[in-house]
């Protein structure tokens, strides 16, 4: 069973922090790379949680946290864009690379949930193709 409330609360917490950091980026002397490093660590932890749960996510679960996840991804993308205007440093560059990887991983996982857990079970043509592929695979192995 999917841990929907835990996923949702993590999304809200991470979205809020990402948005605050985006605001800090545009404020003079408001941004600290250490906060970005902590956000990256928490995004890593969230990815692990969502990855561990994605096989059990139902359409009903996704209805509860899907829009929140979309907004979080938009906020992370906006934070990445805003950070590109900061003066370069090795530490900032390293954390921005991590943030970009976290964004990409979460975006891909979200896409997998939508396409393989929500849409695929409803797609009769794809189901037929998958059943046919399974039969062909069995014939090849046999």
């Amino acid at each position: 069973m999917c841990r929907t409330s835990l996923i949702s609360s993590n999304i809200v917490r991470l979205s809020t922090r990402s948005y605050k950091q985006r605001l800090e980026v545009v404020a003079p002397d408001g941004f600290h790379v250490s906060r970005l490093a902590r956000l990256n660590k928490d995004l890593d932890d969230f990815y692990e949680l969502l990855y561990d749960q994605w096989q059990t996510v139902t359409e009903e679960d996704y209805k509860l946290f899907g829009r929140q996840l979309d907004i979080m991804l938009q906020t992370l993308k906006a934070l990445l864009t805003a950070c590109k205007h900061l003066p370069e440093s090795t530490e900032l560059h390293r954390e921005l690379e991590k943030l970009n990887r976290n964004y990409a991983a979460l975006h891909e996982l979200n896409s997998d949930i939508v396409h393989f857990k929500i849409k695929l079970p409803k797609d009769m043509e794809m189901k037929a193709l998958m059943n046919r592929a399974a039969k062909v695979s069995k014939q090849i192995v046999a």
Side-chain angles (χ1 to χ4, degrees), residues 27-91:
D29 300 323
F31 183 74
H32 301 281
V33 177
S34 62
R35 289 187 189 142
L36 188 57
R38 285 193 301 274
L39 176 63
N40 275 321
K41 187 213 175 297
D42 290 344
L43 287 168
D44 287 340
D45 293 343
F46 175 69
Y47 175 83
E48 292 298 323
L49 168 68
L50 191 57
Y51 184 81
D52 288 344
Q53 297 293 310
W54 93 273
Q55 289 291 338
T56 62
V57 172
T58 64
E59 186 172 0
E60 291 75 31
D61 294 330
Y62 193 76
K63 284 179 184 177
L64 296 174
F65 69 80
R67 280 293 299 139
Q68 292 174 328
L69 185 55
D70 286 338
I71 291 170
M72 184 182 88
L73 290 169
Q74 292 170 17
T75 305
L76 289 172
K77 185 70 171 175
L79 176 59
L80 273 165
T81 301
C83 285
K84 290 179 181 177
H85 301 289
L86 291 171
E88 275 290 318
S89 73
T90 304
E91 186 179 6

Side-chain angles (χ1 to χ4, degrees), residues 113-124 127:
I113 291 170
V114 169
H115 290 98
F116 297 113
K117 296 297 291 178
I118 308 302
K119 291 182 179 178
L120 186 63
K122 296 177 184 177
D123 188 342
M124 293 303 148
K127 273 184 154 178

